Structures are given as C-alpha cells and as structure tokens.
Amino acid sequence: MNVNEHVYEVHAAVGTTLAEALRDELSLTGTKIACGEGHCGACTVLIDGVPTLSCITLVHAVDGAKVTTIEGLREHPMVQAFVRSDALQCGFCTPGQIVSAVALVAANPAPSKEEVRHAMAGNLCRCGAYPKIEEAIRTWQD
Amino acid sequence: MARLIRTEKEVEGRYEEVWLVVEEDALEQWPAGPLEVVGRPAVRADGLERATGQAIFTADLTLPGLLHTAVLRSPHPRARVASIDLAPALAAPGVHAAIGPNEIPQLSDEPNYQGAAIAAVCGDSLAHARTALRAIKLELDVLEPLLDPDEAVRRGSLLDDPRVRTRGDYERGLAEADVVVEAEFRTQVVLHNSMETHQAVVQWVGDGVEVHISTQYIWGIRDAVAQGLGLPG
C-alpha cells in the first residue's frame, strides 16, 4: 500500500477498512474514526488526490492507489493556516478538515465563501470552529 | 495632566454631586508589560500538534496485550431486565470475561434511558467483544418512560435529593428590598458534545491502575474506578 509516498506491506483481514488499517496496522493515528459510518468526515484521506471517507473504504480496494493522510501533509501551508486562524478547538475533526481543504485548494487556490462551504460540507465539527476553518481556507496563502 | 471628575461630596450627612479638578495623571491601568500579551492574537499552545494529527487522543492509545470491551446498551427509554444469559458470550471466540447487571453499579437491571449500560464483554479485539455481545440472551420488559420533569416532581420520582442553594439572609433581603421580582427560568440540559469519541484505556501498574480516559472529570473517575476495583482512592 502506498501511503504518503512510502510503500508499506500490509496484511489485513478481509473486511478491514482503510481507516482501521492506517490506524492499527501502520500506527498512523492522525486519521480519526468518529461516526464510523461515513457521515462526519473525520476519517477523510486522499486517494489519488480525491477526498475519501476511509472508514467506509475497504483497505483491499485501495491496492495500487496513492493514499495521502494528514501525516503526509505536515509541511502543507494549510496546516499553518489552521493554526494561525485557530481553526480548531478539540482538534478531533481537524485532520479530516485539513485533508479536505488541501484537496479543495489544489483544484481551486482561491475559493469563494460559497465554494469553501460547499466543498467542506462533508467535514463536521461539533466544537464551533466552522467560521475559523472558513477563514483559514480563505487565507491559506497569506 | 489635570482632569475633571464627577464625584459625590458628603457634608454632615447630606450628599451632593460635584465636579472636581484632579491634578495628577490618570492611573495607568495597563503598564507596558501586559499590553504585549493582552489584546494580541496568540497561537493555541497545542494547535500544531492537533492540526497535524500528532496529538494522541484516548482513541489513539494502544498498549501491548490490550483487551477490548464492548457494552450492551438498552434500546428503550425505560425497561427492566427480565432475564439475561451471559454464557453464550463467554463461550464466544476471543472472549475473556463478561459481566452483567448489578455486578458493578454502572450496569443496571432497570436501565432508565436509551443507551444505559446493562452488560459488558471483554475480548481480544473490539470485533470479538462486539460479536460476543450479540450472543447475549437478553429479555427486557419495556416500561413507560417518565419524560416530564414536573410530573416526576409530582410523583416524587427523583434520582437524587433536590439541591437547594442559599446565601445570606434571604427573608430579610426580600423584606428590605424596594422591588421584588419573581421569575421561573427553565432550560433543557445542554451538553457540549465535541467530536472526540469517548473511551478509556486502563492498565495495571503494580497494585494500582493507570487510567487514560476522555473526560474533564478526572477526580470523579479516579474515585469511581478505585471504588469499583476495591482500591484505595
């Protein structure tokens, strides 16, 4: 499995999700499992650059693709944008938020407010960081 | 710099408002030091750790030989356990233990909300524990829930003694007041339910336990765990 530009050999039981494999087999615990049902977006990773809900993706279906997790985005300016704008409180949804945001600005470097809200609609936050998240994404290049 | 201030002057018990000229400078309330911090943006101390996914939440914690527990929860707002058989769960693969109602105070034979804990199964993995949970034979008598707080008060159906807070001399305050305003304020329970999933990771260290848990109530947890395991608090 190719994760963050590194090739890992992973042995997982049939039915193991990508999220479980990342967290339990590879100890990449930055990707979180919150709802476990594909509703909240905390488990968002990129598969060949496309934001994907890893908690409802089977790890065996990912063979051959390039997976990017929050650990692979440490140097991305979006991370500093989130920290600067204080776009987090408990931080549990934050890795998923950043992964989705990175995909958004890769396709659209200066999204409007509406474009941000539409693209980020799949990432839920229960602490109230939405306004700051929006600000971080709109100022990520500053 | 001189300035004008308005103040009260008292002469033989009579009060009047006067304007006075005050010669000295106004007191500097915020000397140079704190102004460098107060009123300036600050970066959250562990913001980077959380944003990069490096921060270890309880859910991310794993220990060698860790067992996993799944909890059987009531699907009804109010019910009573008519019968429960844990034997099939104990016989399931990978299971180490199972406990039922009243073995600990937190497992109830009359679960009184949807999600109240009835039994728990411990296994080699969460999958083992959850599978075993489904094997438990449980019969519940579904009861009528009591949802109206006023009705609960009328029936005297309370979970705890009512708490009354007083301060000072209430009756005298009322008697001496110029105006008395009475009002009843009601609100529902509000709980900040942040996204972090809640769980605990516990390990024996010598004769004691080390508990990692998602909570703000560490002292209460410590006391409850000590009590439950018969350990000194």
Side-chain angles (χ1 to χ4, degrees):
Chain A
M1 196 159 85
N2 186 318
V3 183
N4 301 327
E5 303 296 336
H6 186 99
V7 177
Y8 295 90
E9 189 180 294
V10 175
H11 297 273
V14 169
T16 304
T17 66
L18 176 59
E20 287 165 347
L22 289 169
R23 291 174 53 79
D24 302 338
E25 304 299 323
L26 303 184
S27 297
L28 294 171
T29 56
T31 304
K32 307 299 180 194
I33 299 173
C35 76
E37 296 180 339
H39 292 308
C40 73
C43 69
T44 307
V45 298
L46 303 179
I47 297 185
D48 291 332
V50 177
T52 309
L53 300 167
S54 63
C55 77
I56 52 171
T57 301
L58 296 176
V59 68
H60 294 93
V62 168
D63 198 28
K66 284 192 167 196
V67 180
T68 309
T69 69
I70 184 67
E71 287 88 350
L73 297 175
R74 192 165 300 169
E75 303 304 321
H76 196 288
M78 186 63 72
V79 171
Q80 284 302 332
F82 267 63
V83 174
R84 223 169 41 228
S85 291
D86 199 28
L88 63 140
Q89 289 185 34
C90 81
F92 205 73
C93 77
T94 312
Q97 301 275 1
I98 291 177
V99 170
S100 290
V102 164
L104 166 62
V105 300
N108 180 357
S112 68
K113 187 172 72 175
E114 287 71 29
E115 287 168 329
V116 170
R117 291 179 183 186
H118 180 77
M120 298 300 293
N123 288 87
L124 303 185
C125 165
R126 283 208 296 247
C127 288
Y130 289 130
K132 301 291 184 80
I133 292 170
E134 189 177 301
E135 180 193 292
I137 296 171
R138 301 199 65 215
T139 62
W140 76 280
Q141 294 186 91
D142 292 1
Chain B
M1 189 184 88
R3 53 197 178 98
L4 276 175
I5 59 166
R6 197 171 70 181
T7 189
E8 245 180 349
K9 191 168 93 170
E10 185 261 345
V11 175
E12 295 178 18
R14 277 182 4 259
Y15 291 88
E16 60 176 40
E17 276 202 353
V18 296
W19 286 89
L20 291 181
V21 174
V22 175
E23 294 293 344
E24 66 272 7
D25 288 344
L27 181 67
E28 188 64 55
Q29 302 238 293
W30 297 108
L35 273 177
E36 286 163 13
V37 175
V38 173
R40 288 183 181 278
V43 164
R44 187 180 292 265
D46 53 10
L48 186 63
E49 238 179 286
R50 290 174 197 263
T52 56
Q54 286 181 286
I56 303 289
F57 291 82
T58 316
D60 303 325
L61 198 55
T62 189
L63 298 170
L66 189 65
L67 302 177
H68 296 76
T69 298
V71 178
L72 182 63
R73 298 183 177 279
S74 174
H76 304 293
R78 187 159 167 247
R80 188 178 297 117
V81 174
S83 72
I84 183 166
D85 185 5
L86 300 177
L90 284 163
V95 170
H96 289 250
I99 52 175
N102 299 324
E103 289 192 61
I104 54 171
Q106 290 78 10
L107 296 178
S108 178
D109 62 1
E110 194 169 313
N112 63 355
Y113 61 92
Q114 190 175 10
I118 299 171
V121 175
C122 178
D124 289 328
S125 73
L126 201 51
H128 284 110
R130 282 180 175 159
T131 304
L133 215 59
R134 286 195 284 274
I136 293 176
K137 289 199 176 46
L138 174 70
E139 262 177 42
L140 290 170
D141 291 331
V142 181
L143 304 173
E144 196 59 40
L146 181 52
L147 301 174
D148 184 332
D150 292 320
E151 181 60 27
V153 170
R154 266 193 294 277
R155 293 193 203 173
S157 174
L158 306 176
L159 293 175
D160 204 346
D161 295 323
R163 273 173 274 189
V164 178
R165 302 258 186 263
T166 60
R167 193 164 72 182
D169 189 338
Y170 177 67
E171 297 300 336
R172 193 177 125 206
L174 282 189
E176 291 178 357
D178 293 323
V179 179
V180 173
V181 175
E182 265 187 57
E184 186 178 276
F185 297 91
R186 289 172 176 248
T187 182
Q188 68 276 41
V189 174
V190 176
L191 181 68
H192 179 191
N193 195 15
S194 53
M195 193 67 91
E196 180 195 357
T197 54
H198 284 208
Q199 59 277 297
V201 174
V202 183
Q203 66 171 339
W204 287 99
V205 180
D207 289 332
V209 286
E210 197 174 84
V211 179
H212 302 263
I213 187 167
S214 316
T215 187
Q216 291 178 318
Y217 188 42
I218 52 176
W219 310 118
I221 298 293
R222 181 199 62 185
D223 292 347
V225 171
Q227 200 168 56
L229 294 177
L231 296 171

